[in-house]
Amino acid sequence: MAYFDAASAAPLHPVARQALLAALDDGWADPARLYREGRKARMLLDAAREAAAEAVGCRADELVFTSSGTRAVHTGVAGALAGRRRVGRHLIVSAVEHSSVLHSADLFEAEGGSVSRVPVHRTGAVSPSGYTDALRADTALAVLQSANHEVGTAQPVAEVAEVCRAAGVPLLVDAAQSLGWGPVGGGWSLLAASAHKWGGPSGVGLLVVRKGVRFAAQGPADERESGRAPGFENIPAVVAAVASLRAVRAEAAREAVRLRELTERIRARVPRLVPDVEVVGDPERRLPGIVTFSCLYVDGETLLHELDREGFAVSSGSSCTSGTLTPSHVLKAMGVLSEGNVRVSLPPGTAAEDVERFLAVLPGVVAGVRDNLGAPAPVTVAEPGVLVVDALGKRCPIPVIELARVFPGVPVGGTVRVLSDDEAARLDIPAWCEMRGQEYAGEEPAEEGTAYLVRRLS
């Protein structure tokens, strides 16, 4: 099996495995105790904290270990908002943040706070001016990921941090995807990350709160981890997480060059090998190992299953995967095609031969899925100058398939009115128009569902 889903979880690094096994013998005792075994555990924990702080670029007493990256985000957001409650109850996030950030924002909003969600360009990047425009006198905290987890686009963290610093607002950076590749630059105030993203064991996150940032930990008081991460520390896992972070950092420069070349092969060749494909994400400012593309007229879940049968583990943000009827919030915010979405995220050490085999297999897999989809013939109703396509009750990607099937018969200047109650159509029909050079004329209410208007230009 070629594992191409490192953005979800990277394979355990060999150094992490070795460190974990070694720490199981010496790191099992309570590090708060003064007897010999407790002192040994404390030494391991302190050494891990020092090494992690060096990798992040912060002081050791600014960094705590948490039970996950998600817990680090939740703790960081809640603590910073509570610490600055007197300033106000306003939070800024980008529209493409990880779900852990968005869930924190939703909870804050439900409790009476206000949230501004900064939009992104079609590449998935925010503009620093978007944060400038969102800042208010009562802004307590801003949040921005260092790089996007679905499309790999790197965010302008340093520029946004400067905007926030000038306004006296702390910036929390979710560095889960990028920390294994290098420290996050800029004047950020808080940072969260997750060990299983860089080849450490799952169940270890880290949270950094810079000195001078007002922070009030929420929940019952606890004497461990500066009161910010309650519970007994999993010292063997922490040691393994930090050992793997140091190891991948030592390999990062060489691996980044190699993985960028492999992902560039995919970005360049997939559109030539497979018709009707949109490669998404910023082509330049991006993480080394992630490339994402979407295929028209393809059921995303079926595509992933077929690739799995061929020996490839990939991920998807399509609406017709993982039991959801709505496309990825990242793809929606970017305004790109969500049908047949495939995220390839290569772990360090990926063989070039595996990438070549993926490129050899993909065209046949996509063609097979398209052939076997069995899209029903559309029901059309003639109106003066308008062709109505009834796709009500049909899910991604059927509405777009039916639009494409009738479009050749529409005269130049004519309009197609697609009726659909599938949320993905709101994203995929405009994306189809952009790919085809046709005019998307908007949407309007219909007796059932929504009517999407497409005008033929050529």
Side-chain angles (χ1 to χ4, degrees):
M1 169 66 73
Y3 183 76
F4 287 177
D5 195 22
S8 293
L12 190 67
H13 195 285
V15 168
R17 185 184 302 276
Q18 295 168 4
L20 179 64
L21 293 175
L24 286 172
D25 291 332
D26 293 329
W28 52 268
D30 187 344
R33 299 294 176 249
L34 298 179
Y35 44 73
R36 179 183 301 172
E37 295 301 331
R39 294 197 305 272
K40 288 167 64 176
R42 168 57 63 182
M43 289 175 62
L44 284 175
L45 183 60
D46 288 348
R49 197 184 315 277
E50 290 280 354
E54 181 182 3
V56 171
C58 67
R59 293 170 40 157
D61 58 356
E62 295 174 331
L63 185 149
V64 299
F65 295 106
T66 66
S67 58
S68 68
T70 294
R71 173 52 58 192
V73 166
H74 290 173
T75 300
V77 171
L81 288 171
R84 287 173 49 82
R85 184 183 295 270
R86 291 184 180 180
V87 173
R89 299 272 288 159
H90 177 233
L91 169 67
I92 303 173
V93 301
S94 85
V96 294
E97 295 299 316
H98 187 269
S99 59
S100 60
V101 172
L102 299 184
H103 291 161
S104 289
D106 290 343
L107 178 62
F108 179 63
E109 208 166 27
E111 293 175 343
S114 60
V115 179
S116 294
R117 296 169 176 83
V118 178
V120 297
H121 302 301
R122 193 172 174 84
T123 62
V126 302
S127 170
S129 63
Y131 277 74
T132 302
D133 295 341
L135 286 166
R136 305 185 331 203
D138 63 340
T139 302
L141 177 68
V143 182
L144 178 63
Q145 60 192 194
S146 55
N148 187 261
H149 50 292
E150 289 194 28
V151 300
T153 297
Q155 300 290 2
V157 171
E159 294 91 333
V160 171
E162 179 58 28
V163 165
C164 293
R165 187 203 61 77
V169 174
L171 176 69
L172 185 154
V173 176
D174 174 11
Q177 289 297 333
S178 74
L179 195 61
W181 296 107
V184 178
W188 48 266
S189 302
L190 304 96
L191 181 143
S194 185
H196 73 273
K197 301 294 188 180
W198 65 66
S202 59
V204 179
L206 58 84
L207 171 65
V208 178
V209 181
R210 296 281 200 193
K211 293 296 181 183
V213 176
R214 296 187 64 85
F215 190 92
Q218 300 301 286
D222 194 285
E223 69 277 8
R224 297 181 185 273
E225 293 300 300
S226 304
R228 294 173 182 167
F232 197 99
E233 297 94 341
N234 185 347
I235 295 176
V238 165
V239 169
V242 177
S244 62
L245 179 58
R246 289 168 61 93
V248 298
R249 281 288 189 84
E251 304 160 355
R254 181 180 65 254
E255 272 300 296
V257 171
R258 206 175 65 83
L259 291 186
R260 284 190 191 280
E261 192 278 327
L262 293 178
T263 52
E264 280 305 312
R265 287 192 207 181
I266 298 173
R267 288 182 64 87
R269 288 169 57 185
V270 164
R272 298 202 300 262
L273 295 169
V274 182
D276 301 313
V277 164
E278 180 180 14
V279 181
V280 302
D282 194 293
E284 301 295 335
R285 291 174 55 94
R286 57 184 305 100
L287 290 174
I290 298 180
V291 56
T292 306
F293 56 89
S294 300
C295 307
L296 272 172
Y297 321 132
V298 170
D299 177 328
E301 186 166 9
T302 302
L303 180 57
L304 263 60
H305 284 318
E306 291 302 313
L307 287 170
D308 180 49
R309 286 162 60 93
E310 294 289 341
F312 295 98
V314 298
S315 182
S316 175
S318 290
S319 60
C320 38
T321 57
S322 304
T324 178
L325 295 179
T326 58
S328 147
H329 71 276
V330 173
L331 301 180
K332 287 181 67 176
M334 293 169 62
V336 298
L337 183 69
S338 74
E339 283 181 23
N341 179 259
V342 175
R343 180 187 67 184
V344 174
S345 49
L346 307 178
T350 296
E353 294 78 9
D354 286 338
V355 171
E356 287 298 324
R357 188 166 66 87
F358 175 78
L359 291 170
V361 164
L362 182 68
V365 169
V366 174
V369 172
R370 286 171 172 166
D371 289 343
N372 295 329
L373 191 58
V379 178
T380 60
V381 179
E383 293 183 4
V386 177
L387 185 66
V388 178
V389 175
D390 185 352
L392 293 168
K394 299 165 184 174
R395 300 301 177 198
C396 155
I398 303 301
V400 178
I401 290 176
E402 297 195 350
L403 167 63
R405 291 179 65 179
V406 303
F407 207 75
V410 176
V412 174
T415 298
V416 181
R417 192 168 184 262
V418 183
L419 303 177
S420 177
D421 50 7
D422 181 12
E423 178 64 25
R426 179 167 282 109
L427 181 63
D428 289 341
I429 290 176
W432 181 91
C433 291
E434 180 155 334
M435 293 175 71
R436 287 287 178 268
Q438 307 301 333
E439 179 185 353
Y440 177 65
E443 63 179 73
E444 60 186 24
E447 187 173 342
E448 293 183 70
T450 302
Y452 301 95
L453 305 179
V454 177
R455 186 171 296 112
R456 181 162 188 173
L457 300 181
S458 60

